[in-house]
Amino acid sequence: MKKVLMVCLGNICRSPLAEAILQSKVNSKEIVVDSAGTADYHTGKQPDIRSIEIAAKFGLDIHKQKARTFEVRNFDTFDHIYVMDKSNYQNVLELARDKNDVLKVKMILNELHPNKNLEVPDPYYGGDQGFKNVYNMLDEACDVIAKQLQ
Ligand code: 4NP
């Protein structure tokens, strides 16, 4: 069983979508996908309604997800940790204990555009178009990740 963790800031907009999109593209008997946020502002809450709605448009139901915070022990549980932006990357790396932990952490769009360090923009303060844009970026990146994992 391989385990993949998607990480953003609040765990209510981007990483819940990334979790559901990747899980929909892989065999759930072989690969488990989870998500977390680097901040605890929204712990226990369901995803942002705009993420729930864009996911539903593409046939994915994320309303039962609950936000949680990234913890150091997640480095032990997960094989791959994908972050959405540079700030998430810094926040997760600050908790890394050794080189093995560091090597698990990747900017998710680098799977599509290697070494470019492009970011999945935080859509929280924008409109619906931002969520659609995030969905499309994550869908493309997860296609690549799913192929690598199988
Ligand atoms: P996320 O988006 O990191 O994609 O879940 C955000 C959600 C909440 C906040 C910021 C970003 N916030 O400031 O509360």
Side-chain angles (χ1 to χ4, degrees):
M1 191 67 119
K2 276 187 210 157
K3 293 195 166 187
V4 179
L5 185 67
M6 301 297 191
V7 177
C8 63
L9 175 63
N11 192 209
I12 56 165
C13 298
R14 294 166 291 178
S15 61
L17 286 173
E19 172 187 334
I21 293 167
L22 182 61
Q23 192 70 74
S24 75
K25 295 179 190 289
V26 297
N27 182 339
S28 58
K29 292 197 180 109
E30 292 166 10
I31 297 158
V32 167
V33 190
D34 192 7
S35 65
T38 58
D40 65 1
Y41 325 129
H42 300 281
T43 298
K45 295 214 192 106
Q46 70 172 184
D48 188 286
I49 186 66
R50 296 164 293 177
S51 282
I52 293 176
E53 283 173 0
I54 190 76
K57 269 195 189 142
F58 289 93
L60 301 176
D61 182 0
I62 65 168
H63 85 280
K64 287 198 180 126
Q65 288 190 33
K66 282 206 166 68
R68 72 169 183 87
T69 314
F70 181 83
E71 299 167 285
V72 175
R73 63 178 177 197
N74 294 150
F75 284 115
D76 300 320
T77 316
F78 293 92
D79 304 291
H80 303 280
I81 298 170
Y82 291 105
V83 298
M84 303 295 132
D85 63 30
K86 291 174 192 165
S87 161
N88 309 149
Y89 187 80
Q90 291 299 332
N91 290 332
V92 171
L93 274 212
E94 273 164 22
L95 297 174
R97 301 154 300 183
D98 55 29
K99 197 176 164 198
N100 198 33
D101 287 354
V102 171
L103 289 174
K104 288 184 179 183
V105 189
K106 293 174 188 163
M107 300 265 293
I108 193 166
L109 291 184
N110 277 352
E111 302 307 306
L112 261 182
H113 308 285
N115 305 316
K116 293 251 159 64
N117 295 334
L118 298 179
E119 303 184 298
V120 180
D122 179 350
Y124 189 63
Y125 293 106
D128 290 345
Q129 187 57 39
F131 282 78
K132 193 158 187 224
N133 185 33
V134 163
Y135 190 98
N136 289 333
M137 288 176 162
L138 291 174
D139 192 48
E140 279 190 62
C142 288
D143 273 336
V144 178
I145 295 169
K147 281 201 193 100
Q148 285 168 6
L149 289 169
Q150 312 277 4

